[in-house]
Amino acid sequence: MRVRVASAGTGKTTSLVRRFLERIGEGEPLRRMAGVTFTRNAAAELRARVGEGLRDLLQDGSYLGGLVTLDPAARPRYQEALRELDGATLTTIHGFMSLGLRLSAPLLGLDPDFTALPEWEAQAIFEEEFEAVLLVARDPDHPLHESAARIGEPARPWAQAVFAQRSLAERLAPGPGDARAADLLALYQEAYPRVLARLGATRASPAEIERRALQLVRTPGALARLTARAPRVVVDEFQDVNPLQGRFFAALEAGGAQVEVVGDPKQSIYGFRQADVEVFRTALRTGEVLAPLQESRRHAQVPVRFLNALTRTLAAREWGFVQDEAPEVRAAGAQADVRGRVEVHWVRGGPALGALRPREATVLAERLAEAHRAHGVAYQDMAVLARTYAGLRTVRAALRAQGVPAVLLQGRGYYQRSEVRDLAHALRVGIDPAGPSLPAWLRGPFGGLTPGELDATFMAEDPLAHLEAAHPAVWARLQRMRAAAQEPPLVALRTLVRTPVAEEVRMVDLLSVEQRENVDALLFSVAQQPPGELEVLLERLDLLSRRGEAGDVPQAGEGVSLLTVHASKGLEWPWVAVYDLGGGGRPRPAPLYLEEGRLHLPGGPGFEAARSADATRQRQESYRMLYVAASRARDALILTGSVTDRGAEGWATALAAMKLGPDRPPRTQDDFVLAVHPPAPAELPDPDEPAGAAGGLPEAPWTQRRFAAGPFPPVESPSRVRGGVEGAAPAAGPRPDDEVAEARLVSDPAEGDRLPGQAVAVGTLLHDAIRRDADPTDRDEMALLRAQEVMFPYAPEEQDRLLAEVREMLGVYRSLLGGPLPALEARTRDLREWPVVLPEGGQVWQGLIDRLYLAEGTWYLDDYKTDRTLRPERYAFQLAVYREAVLRVSKVRPVTRLVGLRDGAVLPYDNETLRAAWAARRGAGRQDG
């Protein structure tokens, strides 16, 4: 295997194109070569660049100013290669593996037309099969009964974690002396063959494609067919492959193919996707090492010097990589004449990073604003990188305070978001009402059918006829979809988003602020390149939904790009700022560990050693992330960090080792700045001292006017006001200790990072489930709740516990329907999570009514509570505000009730209690100025 190290910006893709052009010129047909890379985007770029190189050679006689020159005798070979380009094997790793599998599918027990299954769907299938194994294992006579009993409830999340990491090892074994790991693997190995049986010969997920590919290279006939089809294989981004992929390419080389790999261990940052930098290092130790690429056409002079100093420092300490993996680079091409700039800014002092980060973000925002004013750098030519989206939100607030426009890129999977999929299903239903999108449309916001209604519709002999008879309002909406589908694609999309879909409610009214921005971004994207036909738009959306890397669609507008370091890989900007160098020092623990195929569970003999080894890997990867972030800048790099009294942590340790830490003397040069800032500005303006009028103009009469502060902000939620009618003063807190302990946002003070409390998560999920009339026994509904953002901070076993609590209370709610609560089908109007904005006495009350509905001539206003001990008097004012808002808008005084979702209590308020609560509290807000 031939191996080449290519540092960031050194023309890795150019070197691959050069290799293809040289081999074609020497007589090797393009159809007999394979170019393999990590993402579909990269594969598409490689195809485009090879085509560009072929055309340049044929038209101009050279590629990139003589990097490759045309031998007249080779012209027919290049012409032939250009004709073959569309069918050339320039694809992803899984695409190349799939090609080999299709060539010999019958030998491997596959259908040649097998389809690739998304990993999330494979995960769902495994969860179902594992649940079935646990079910049959309840039988005391079942051979796995004792294993399941010994592990207990953690079996589910542990097995799911093993399944998610199956690309790390082909074979699994328990850690030495770990009896519970042996029990878990016995259950896992019972469920996994069931998954394979369900996938059969027609479907394969990415990890199963890898395992089938290993079977291929061990089957002589199949291996010979693949090496004959592609005797030369060039693999890009080899630092990102996982162990099974590495084993496949090694076997391919041993089977006769000439495998050439290129990559950069310094940029291996995808450990969470099972990428293993040791695969590349093995190739470096055992293969033919080619000269590294050392000319950077990305970086200006000063950023290159900084990167070289950074890689020297890290390599000398073996922080992330070693010296052989970090060759020095030099500025080349047009960038060799650009001086460039590097700035390092520290905010130092205090016990907690969380208190320093807002100041750090302000410093960063001020530097970008100054770059725009003083250097004329356009904001769209700037980017801010951070480890997490939480950090980016802090930066965005600071940028807005400076008047700097910013775009928070949403990360991967934009085209898989529910609001985007809902629109795609609506368009498809407009084209083909009886097509496969009809169930999703009926279940989504446009149809709004319950699971039971959906089953009845599709159990009918003619689903559309049943829909027309049983749900005339939904049928009328379907006809609107069909009419919209006759319009041009952009008009159709706008119609679906902006016109009422149900009960005079528009789709856009059902969305959160973030979802609305996503839909606006979709409209903006389509408007930029409007397709001529609706089918073309749907094909584009379908393609992009399968491309995880195509997810970076901005919320709206233009400005400084805000994105995580992982999302920045492969991108570059003239000016780049890296935020929060002082954080991220703590490794993320995992529920279990796989070490070279050995499974270690908590409490097992090898668990602590495995956890320590994983923590070391994470720290090593963290240093590589710093290199990736710093190497995105073309002309200028700004680094900011916060350092507490404890000293440097995280990436700040690397800068300190470079003698650029907060303890060094400040420096200010034309092309380099090292500055240390106090935790707060040295001098803050006196808020009571009016600023002098510019130009000596007299003060306006209102400049000295003051507004007395009320007990609440100008806009407040009534749910924050506890209590009923006793006294006129509001009671906004404190909450009882039991509620505080459960609902408070928990945090690590040293990090300043906040996670939603468990009560908040349960309440959010439960209200969402009730809004959608979810069935607690529906696995798809529960999977949808598990995918909610509020669940992300929790480990799988914690998610299971929260979902169990949600299912229990959802069951209580559904048991009330048709009894104390009118049945859903008995309601002639049913408004869910209805927004309330009620101005009163200079105060604006803003909130959401959980449910407002009309049943048998009576309006009901229900508010759902998850309190363990329900105290109606605490919510009297909140419900009084909601009832007053309904009364003012509709002249209706609804029956107002609390619904306890833990014990099923339905507690109505009498009119006198609500009137008294409203009268006592209404004047407690701010007074008109």
Side-chain angles (χ1 to χ4, degrees):
M1 185 178 292
R2 305 179 76 191
V3 189
R4 189 189 302 272
V5 173
S7 298
T10 56
K12 179 162 48 65
T13 304
T14 299
S15 73
L16 296 179
V17 174
R18 176 182 181 179
R19 187 66 176 148
F20 275 97
L21 296 179
E22 289 175 343
R23 297 305 300 170
I24 292 169
E26 293 168 5
E28 191 167 338
L30 180 59
R31 62 181 177 274
R32 290 291 178 258
M33 291 185 280
V36 182
T37 189
F38 205 64
T39 67
R40 291 188 179 94
N41 268 1
E45 181 187 1
L46 180 59
R47 186 183 302 276
R49 295 279 295 275
V50 170
E52 177 186 332
L54 290 170
R55 283 185 286 271
D56 285 352
L57 280 176
L58 292 171
Q59 294 171 10
D60 304 329
S62 68
Y63 170 63
L64 286 185
L67 190 64
V68 180
T69 56
L70 176 65
D71 179 354
R75 177 176 288 274
R77 300 170 194 158
Y78 290 117
Q79 291 172 331
E80 180 184 45
L82 190 58
R83 291 193 297 269
E84 294 174 347
L85 180 63
D86 288 341
T89 305
L90 301 170
T91 183
T92 63
I93 292 175
H94 290 117
F96 179 67
M97 289 177 167
S98 296
L99 168 68
L101 294 175
R102 295 183 199 283
L103 289 174
S104 303
L107 284 175
L108 304 169
L110 277 173
D111 186 323
D113 292 326
F114 74 87
T115 57
L117 193 73
E119 183 60 30
W120 66 264
E121 191 170 345
Q123 186 80 34
I125 292 173
F126 174 78
E127 290 176 12
E128 292 175 3
E129 294 303 330
F130 192 79
E131 196 68 34
V133 169
L134 292 181
L135 181 63
V136 298
R138 292 180 184 176
D139 183 351
D141 296 328
H142 194 279
L144 293 175
H145 176 76
E146 292 299 326
S147 293
R150 281 191 293 266
I151 298 177
E153 192 60 32
R156 293 176 178 86
W158 283 350
Q160 291 163 14
V162 173
F163 186 80
Q165 298 179 62
R166 63 197 187 281
S167 290
L168 287 177
E170 190 176 3
R171 295 178 179 83
L172 302 177
D178 197 333
R180 286 195 307 167
D183 287 332
L184 181 65
L185 286 180
L187 296 167
Y188 177 87
Q189 289 161 354
E190 178 71 17
Y192 186 62
R194 295 174 178 232
V195 175
L196 298 182
R198 283 182 61 176
L199 297 181
T202 59
R203 296 184 298 171
S205 68
E208 277 58 59
I209 288 175
E210 294 165 0
R211 291 172 180 274
R212 294 274 195 173
L214 288 177
Q215 180 187 353
L216 179 156
V217 294
R218 293 165 185 160
T219 304
L223 176 60
R225 184 168 295 181
L226 179 56
T227 55
R229 172 68 174 79
R232 183 178 303 278
V233 181
V234 180
V235 187
D236 191 12
E237 303 285 4
F238 200 66
Q239 78 278 350
D240 290 330
V241 301
N242 64 44
L244 296 193
Q245 294 166 351
R247 190 173 299 177
F248 167 79
F249 287 113
L252 199 63
E253 169 88 13
Q258 297 183 44
V259 179
E260 304 177 13
V261 303
V262 62
D264 184 7
K266 302 187 296 300
Q267 298 187 70
S268 179
I269 61 171
Y270 291 119
F272 65 94
R273 294 180 185 170
Q274 283 77 62
D276 188 351
V277 70
E278 293 303 322
V279 177
F280 191 98
R281 288 171 172 165
T282 299
L284 279 174
R285 288 193 302 268
T286 60
E288 177 189 351
V289 180
L290 305 178
L293 300 180
Q294 294 181 274
E295 290 189 347
S296 172
R297 286 170 168 75
R298 173 187 298 170
H299 305 110
Q301 299 171 23
V302 176
V304 158
R305 287 210 313 268
F306 175 85
L307 287 173
N308 283 333
L310 175 65
T311 55
R312 278 196 309 272
T313 302
L314 296 179
R317 292 160 176 77
E318 297 188 0
W319 288 354
F321 43 85
V322 297
Q323 193 59 55
D324 290 346
E325 300 164 351
E328 296 216 350
V329 300
R330 57 186 176 275
Q335 286 297 85
D337 298 324
V338 177
R339 185 69 179 164
R341 183 179 186 84
V342 170
E343 298 185 13
V344 181
H345 295 269
W346 300 105
V347 175
R348 184 176 62 181
L353 285 176
L356 303 179
R357 284 176 172 140
R359 170 64 172 152
E360 177 190 339
T362 299
V363 171
L364 185 152
E366 290 171 349
R367 296 308 303 145
L368 294 186
E370 176 63 18
H372 178 69
R373 290 191 299 267
H375 301 281
V377 183
Y379 286 129
Q380 56 264 33
D381 289 336
M382 303 178 184
V384 178
L385 312 182
R387 286 183 183 84
T388 67
Y389 281 104
L392 293 175
R393 285 191 287 271
T394 302
V395 172
R396 182 171 60 172
L399 290 171
R400 286 178 174 174
Q402 294 291 324
V404 176
V407 176
L408 178 62
L409 300 185
Q410 293 292 320
R412 307 302 188 187
Y414 169 86
Y415 292 96
Q416 296 175 353
R417 294 180 185 274
S418 60
E419 59 272 19
V420 177
R421 292 201 310 270
D422 287 338
L423 285 172
H425 287 310
L427 293 172
R428 289 192 176 91
V429 165
I431 296 175
D432 181 9
S437 281
L438 182 61
W441 182 84
L442 289 174
R443 191 70 185 95
F446 292 96
L449 297 190
T450 66
E453 293 168 340
L454 201 62
D455 288 343
T457 300
F458 286 94
M459 291 294 288
E461 183 176 350
D462 186 342
L464 289 178
H466 174 86
L467 184 67
E468 182 177 10
H471 306 285
V474 178
W475 176 259
R477 285 175 231 147
L478 179 60
Q479 303 316 305
R480 292 187 212 169
M481 301 297 106
R482 301 185 70 178
Q486 304 305 311
E487 301 288 345
L490 181 58
V491 176
L493 259 183
R494 191 182 296 121
T495 299
L496 296 182
V497 173
R498 304 298 180 191
T499 58
V501 295
E503 300 176 346
E504 302 308 311
V505 178
R506 304 172 303 167
M507 178 188 179
V508 71
D509 297 328
L510 303 174
L511 304 177
S512 67
V513 173
E514 184 182 66
Q515 289 174 324
R516 204 171 300 139
E517 289 174 334
N518 288 332
V519 169
D520 287 343
L522 176 63
L523 290 170
F524 180 75
S525 174
V526 173
Q528 282 188 316
Q529 294 179 314
E533 299 179 1
L534 196 55
E535 289 85 349
V536 176
L537 171 61
L538 289 170
E539 287 178 4
R540 182 194 299 176
L541 293 178
D542 185 53
L543 172 64
L544 293 172
S545 72
R546 297 196 301 269
R547 287 170 50 181
E549 69 277 5
D552 295 332
V553 175
Q555 290 177 322
E558 291 185 347
V560 178
S561 296
L562 308 178
L563 66 168
T564 63
V565 178
H566 285 110
S568 74
K569 183 81 178 298
L571 305 176
E572 60 184 64
W573 293 265
W575 281 60
V576 169
V578 182
Y579 172 74
D580 194 18
L581 268 66
R586 294 181 176 84
R588 301 177 303 275
L592 54 82
Y593 296 98
L594 278 173
E595 289 280 345
E596 298 181 349
R598 296 284 184 177
L599 175 62
H600 302 281
L601 294 182
F607 182 79
E608 289 303 322
R611 179 163 63 178
S612 176
D614 183 67
T616 299
R617 280 192 295 269
Q618 290 189 48
R619 282 191 291 268
Q620 294 287 308
E621 185 170 292
S622 177
Y623 287 117
R624 297 195 289 268
M625 284 180 63
L626 173 60
Y627 171 79
V628 169
S631 61
R632 300 307 97 193
R634 290 182 57 85
D635 301 331
L637 174 65
I638 299 175
L639 301 161
T640 69
S642 298
V643 179
T644 67
D645 295 337
R646 295 190 305 270
E649 299 180 49
W651 291 345
T653 58
L655 274 292
M658 295 172 65
K659 300 187 179 354
L660 297 176
D663 57 338
R664 308 299 294 182
R667 294 164 55 187
T668 301
Q669 301 165 205
D670 289 341
D671 54 16
F672 181 78
V673 172
L674 174 60
V676 179
H677 305 265
E683 295 184 7
L684 292 174
D686 183 351
D688 295 324
E689 184 70 28
L697 296 176
E699 293 180 350
W702 44 262
T703 57
Q704 297 292 333
R705 191 171 181 186
R706 295 291 183 269
F707 296 85
F712 300 111
V715 179
E716 181 61 292
S717 167
S719 63
R720 289 178 55 85
V721 181
R722 299 290 189 245
V725 301
E726 297 178 6
R735 300 182 183 182
D737 291 341
D738 60 340
E739 185 181 358
V740 171
E742 189 172 24
R744 177 183 290 157
L745 295 178
V746 297
S747 66
D748 178 352
E751 288 297 319
D753 293 325
R754 293 192 170 274
L755 302 176
Q758 295 178 7
V760 175
V762 169
T764 300
L765 297 176
L766 189 58
H767 279 72
D768 178 65
I770 292 175
R771 177 182 63 82
R772 295 185 290 102
D773 298 324
D775 184 345
T777 64
D778 188 325
R779 295 178 62 87
D780 290 341
E781 291 284 3
M782 294 302 105
L784 185 61
L785 292 179
R786 186 187 293 275
Q788 298 288 341
E789 184 177 1
V790 74
M791 293 287 266
F792 292 177
Y794 295 102
E797 60 272 16
E798 293 174 315
Q799 293 180 4
D800 290 339
R801 183 171 54 77
L802 296 178
L803 284 178
E805 194 171 351
V806 170
R807 277 196 299 268
E808 180 180 353
M809 286 190 280
L810 189 55
V812 170
Y813 164 75
R814 291 176 69 87
S815 71
L816 298 175
L817 296 175
L821 305 182
L824 297 177
E825 57 270 18
R827 305 178 186 185
T828 53
R829 293 288 303 278
D830 195 353
L831 308 177
R832 309 148 195 246
E833 296 195 357
W834 203 248
V836 167
V837 178
L838 180 63
E840 180 67 23
Q843 176 76 48
V844 176
W845 299 104
Q846 178 175 295
L848 283 176
I849 296 175
D850 289 342
R851 206 74 169 235
L852 179 65
Y853 54 91
L854 176 65
E856 298 182 355
T858 301
W859 279 94
Y860 294 88
L861 191 162
D862 290 348
D863 194 78
Y864 307 124
K865 297 299 181 187
T866 60
D867 302 28
R868 298 188 184 278
T869 303
L870 191 58
R871 303 181 180 92
E873 67 278 3
R874 298 175 63 226
Y875 302 106
F877 177 69
Q878 177 187 355
L879 274 294
V881 170
Y882 292 164
R883 192 182 75 149
E884 181 69 18
V886 174
L887 178 62
R888 292 189 187 182
V889 171
S890 63
K891 311 305 180 188
V892 169
R893 185 175 285 109
V895 175
T896 304
R897 307 181 294 187
L898 288 181
V899 180
L901 297 176
R902 293 190 183 275
D903 58 6
V906 179
L907 307 177
Y909 287 92
D910 59 70
N911 289 331
E912 184 57 36
T913 297
L914 294 178
R915 276 197 297 267
W918 174 245
R921 305 282 190 179
R922 62 185 296 184
R926 295 172 178 265
Q927 300 302 312
D928 290 328

